[in-house]
Amino acid sequence: MTDYIKQTEQALYDYLPDLNCREKELIESMKYSLEAGGKRVRPNLVFSFNELCNGKTDAAVPFACAVEMIHTYSLIHDDLPCMDNDDMRRGKPSNHKVYGEDTALLAGDALQSLAFEIMTSDKAISQSSAAACCKAVNTLAAYCGARGMVGGQVIDIINENKSAPLEVLREMDYKKTACLIKAACELGCISANADDKLIKSASEYGECIGIAFQIQDDILDVTSTDEELGKPVGSDNENAKSTYVSLLGIEKCRELVAELTDKAKTALNAFDGDTTALCDFADYLASRKK
Amino acid sequence: MTDYIKQTEQALYDYLPDLNCREKELIESMKYSLEAGGKRVRPNLVFSFNELCNGKTDAAVPFACAVEMIHTYSLIHDDLPCMDNDDMRRGKPSNHKVYGEDTALLAGDALQSLAFEIMTSDKAISQSSAAACCKAVNTLAAYCGARGMVGGQVIDIINENKSAPLEVLREMDYKKTACLIKAACELGCISANADDKLIKSASEYGECIGIAFQIQDDILDVTSTDEELGKPVGSDNENAKSTYVSLLGIEKCRELVAELTDKAKTALNAFDGDTTALCDFADYLASRKK
């Protein structure tokens, strides 16, 4: 998947507006957070499903970058003082610590707009089709909006420092984390003009690995060392916040991760192509140590 | 234009997700600011250009509501403490004073997503075409993003409490205010599948009335009474901020508003239909007292 990461990162910078303008600081702030990327999980999923559906790689590029821009905007806004108030993100000062809260807020806003702009450019349309670009915009917008990612963040806020029941935790994680991963999987299929049955299978895979990812996060929060995790372990417990581990215990959580990973892999049976990379990716997420 | 206002407001609420969900507070917060709408200038422009280009009114509805959602999200974020820190908006407490900064931030984010979602629904596509919906998304996203509205806000922040030269003020107002008005005019034409020549003329009209609108704002800030304006007059002057009036004087500003209004009306000559309503609207904006 290293090639996909390189391709994503080059395309992300190419999509950014030129720095030679009065609002240079805004563009720098957008670039700063795009550069501070992690594993590029979501773009990788777009490219992988595009390949699995025999799509043209070029058609996946704008959708892959769009999902990453949405993910990046959500991290910038998440770190703001009125939200999680995090000074650091992936070992670097958060966007607002470098550019100020006002510019950070606006950089997030502009990244969201840019995501939808690049998905509907003449070039994007010529590489898939206007119908595919519309479907991709509609899918991504729905999954990242009020009934998706942002809705999940609000459920998180409402249940802060509260012991929430499992069904609330499940809905929160589904919306906060799994929705954007689902979107990435679906967009990969859409970029290859795949049919609805395949899109649905990709969506199922995305949902399963998305929820498994979140449960694994909760497990690592209690089993990992600070050094392995790159952030203080046990931070969930300090906030009296419900986690999968606090509600179900570690053993049950490990079983759940394994079950969901199997379910994700089974969903891939709908595809004719080689699903090895996506099976390995599901296993990798389930066994990760940070 | 009263019918258009009613149609816009009904459609705005219909597009909102159901309140019967865990993230109810988010939906209420989005609704609160959509309801606190002003003159619905932008949706009116979408509908008016749709009519002028002999489009189907139904095809204009999602685009009109999308522009209003983008405008509303920008007002919510503008009022936040890290931006203008305004407690009141149109005579009501600002969104974050009612729902908290975190929910207000997220309501703005979700409104932006919803704008692009409704422009690409199956219904929107069936009323115009996938090509038109893509073009509309691309246009709106570009005008509201880093090189448009958000870029203008950053130029504003950079020049806060500074005496900026006229060219900076012009670019700032063009981006901050005129771009979204241009977008509304263009989207009206796009919803009617009008050709590029007509879209360009609509864009010219939008740009002229957008800039005239801003200059008129600066004039009213020094000539109006508090009561007429609904906010303290002279507030621009207190901040040592450049305005058209401080740079050019009132008489020159009045000339500019008249010139731009004429130019806007001349741009309408490209259309075959009845342009009376749009000419009257340009005159109304130029002569408004608040």
Side-chain angles (χ1 to χ4, degrees), chain A residues 77-78 80-84 105 150 153-154 156-158 160, chain B residues 25-26 29 76-77 80-81 95-109:
Chain A
H77 283 189
D78 247 9
L80 285 172
C82 70
M83 296 282 290
D84 289 352
L105 169 69
V150 169
Q153 286 169 308
V154 172
D156 196 9
I157 291 169
I158 294 169
E160 223 163 12
Chain B
E25 209 178 309
L26 174 73
S29 159
I76 298 175
H77 283 189
L80 285 172
N95 197 297
H96 66 274
K97 295 305 282 184
V98 180
Y99 295 95
E101 285 179 52
D102 45 8
T103 302
L105 169 68
L106 293 168
D109 289 344

Side-chain angles (χ1 to χ4, degrees), chain A residues 22-23 73 77 82 101-102 105-106 109 112-113 116-117 120 130 134 138 146-147 157-158 171 175, chain B residues 22-23 73 77 82 101-102 105 109 112-113 116-117 120 130 134 138 146-147 153 157-158 171 175:
Chain A
R22 283 194 218 284
E23 56 274 33
Y73 114 68
H77 283 189
C82 70
E101 285 179 53
D102 44 10
L105 169 69
L106 292 168
D109 290 344
Q112 181 171 188
S113 310
F116 295 113
E117 185 185 345
T120 50
C134 275
N138 195 252
R147 284 162 305 173
I157 291 169
I158 294 169
E171 187 178 334
K175 290 186 171 172
Chain B
R22 281 193 219 287
E23 55 274 34
Y73 114 68
H77 283 189
C82 69
E101 285 179 52
D102 45 8
L105 169 68
D109 289 344
Q112 180 170 189
S113 309
F116 295 113
E117 186 185 343
T120 50
C134 275
N138 196 252
R147 282 162 306 174
Q153 287 171 306
I157 291 169
I158 295 169
E171 186 177 333
K175 291 185 171 172

Side-chain angles (χ1 to χ4, degrees), chain B residues 201-217:
Chain B
S201 299
S203 188
E204 164 97 359
Y205 170 91
E207 181 169 336
C208 291
I209 64 165
I211 295 172
F213 183 91
Q214 194 55 55
I215 301 176
Q216 184 66 9
D217 243 18

Side-chain angles (χ1 to χ4, degrees), chain A residues 256-270:
Chain A
L256 263 178
V257 170
E259 263 172 42
L260 286 162
T261 304
D262 275 347
K263 208 175 158 197
K265 293 195 272 186
T266 306
L268 296 177
N269 291 338

